[in-house]
Amino acid sequence: DAGVIQSPRHEVTEMGQEVTLRCKPISGHNSLFWYRQTMMRGLELLIYFNNNVPIDDSGMPEDRFSAKMPNASFSTLKIQPSEPRDSAVYFCASSLKDLSSYNEQFFGPGTRLTVL
Amino acid sequence: AQTVTQSQPEMSVQEAETVTLSCTYDTSENNYYLFWYKQPPSRQMILVIRQEAYKQQNATENRFSVNFQKAAKSFSLKISDSQLGDTAMYFCAFTRNSGYALNFGKGTSLLVTP
């Protein structure tokens, strides 16, 4: 398996522009997570989905952020309009939810976003 | 809400020596999972070791072992025979179960010197 795939790996944009980050989870996984990593706040959850349904979006900073999972093999995180404080590394992770046993979350390589 | 605290922002150890990274957490759950993740400069998140709260035996993976003290809510990572490739950020993390998000500590930057 190719693992969790994220694109782009790097994104540089100007303040006010729309940014879309993409994630393809591991085939067969039914849970998908978006995390953000900054120096100030560390690694924090933005939103996660189970079976394509958003379960917890309490970490989404504000209305400028939105996430979708139209099917089991694709998710997007959109920022509109982007601001310099959104500069961070955004990770996508996936796992197989099974309450009878723990299944590891596998992380993608991350997208480094820079908003000028 | 669960919180994870790593009180050592930076640590340094000489090659072949042993180092221990500290982590404490707070939760009202009785069953949960704890982890140590490694993030090298490539920024890839790599699972180092996992501990199930219902298991009394401390987890071990080759040179990596944990000291899990459930009553004290403490979960430290011991790296034996440190290698240069162990240089990385190390994150302690907590989750209730599969399909739930991970709560991370702020991380400890470990430098292994020759």
Side-chain angles (χ1 to χ4, degrees):
Chain A
D1 200 318
V4 177
I5 299 172
Q6 291 187 248
S7 64
R9 293 292 306 276
H10 304 272
E11 177 80 26
V12 180
T13 190
E14 292 189 347
M15 183 174 63
Q17 296 299 305
E18 178 179 296
V19 175
T20 298
L21 310 182
R22 296 173 175 81
C23 176
K24 177 178 170 56
I26 292 173
S27 178
H29 283 187
N30 57 4
S31 295
L32 184 140
F33 307 83
W34 284 100
Y35 296 94
R36 179 173 67 175
Q37 184 176 27
T38 61
M39 289 294 292
M40 291 296 293
R41 300 174 65 90
L43 271 159
E44 54 182 347
L45 175 75
L46 297 177
I47 185 171
Y48 77 94
F49 299 81
N50 282 338
N51 296 316
N52 313 335
V53 176
I55 302 300
D56 182 357
D57 65 354
S58 59
M60 296 286 265
E62 48 199 88
D63 291 345
R64 298 185 298 106
F65 284 68
S66 63
K68 294 182 179 180
M69 192 164 186
N71 57 63
S73 59
F74 184 66
S75 177
T76 59
L77 178 67
K78 186 176 292 186
I79 308 173
Q80 167 63 24
S82 58
E83 296 183 2
R85 59 189 168 127
D86 301 330
S87 297
V89 178
Y90 291 80
F91 286 100
C92 177
S94 73
S95 71
L96 177 63
K97 181 177 180 180
D98 178 358
L99 296 181
S100 65
S101 65
Y102 183 80
N103 296 295
E104 180 183 347
Q105 277 190 33
F106 290 87
F107 283 76
T111 295
R112 179 176 292 280
L113 173 65
T114 302
V115 183
L116 303 175
Chain B
Q2 295 86 13
T3 58
V4 179
T5 303
Q6 294 178 249
S7 59
Q8 305 151 314
E10 296 179 348
M11 294 193 72
S12 178
V13 64
Q14 281 194 316
E15 203 174 2
E17 296 296 308
T18 296
V19 64
T20 299
L21 280 57
S22 300
C23 173
T24 58
Y25 60 96
D26 188 26
T27 182
S28 58
E29 303 283 341
N30 190 46
N31 294 319
Y32 48 87
Y33 297 83
L34 295 162
F35 311 85
W36 281 97
Y37 277 86
K38 172 184 178 181
Q39 188 180 41
S42 66
R43 78 167 179 254
Q44 181 67 45
M45 295 292 289
I46 302 166
L47 178 63
V48 175
I49 199 165
R50 179 182 90 214
Q51 174 77 44
E52 291 88 347
Y54 61 86
K55 290 186 177 179
Q56 292 187 337
Q57 187 173 6
N58 289 323
T60 299
E61 288 288 343
N62 301 314
R63 297 183 295 107
F64 299 87
S65 61
V66 299
N67 183 3
F68 173 49
Q69 302 289 329
K70 190 173 184 180
K73 296 181 180 176
S74 170
F75 182 61
S76 61
L77 174 70
K78 185 172 79 172
I79 306 175
S80 303
D81 185 24
S82 297
Q83 300 176 359
L84 297 178
D86 295 333
T87 291
M89 281 290 290
Y90 286 83
F91 293 95
C92 180
F94 168 106
T95 190
R96 292 168 57 188
N97 210 330
S98 290
Y100 290 89
L102 293 164
N103 288 330
F104 289 93
K106 287 292 196 290
T108 296
S109 177
L110 177 66
L111 175 65
V112 181
T113 58

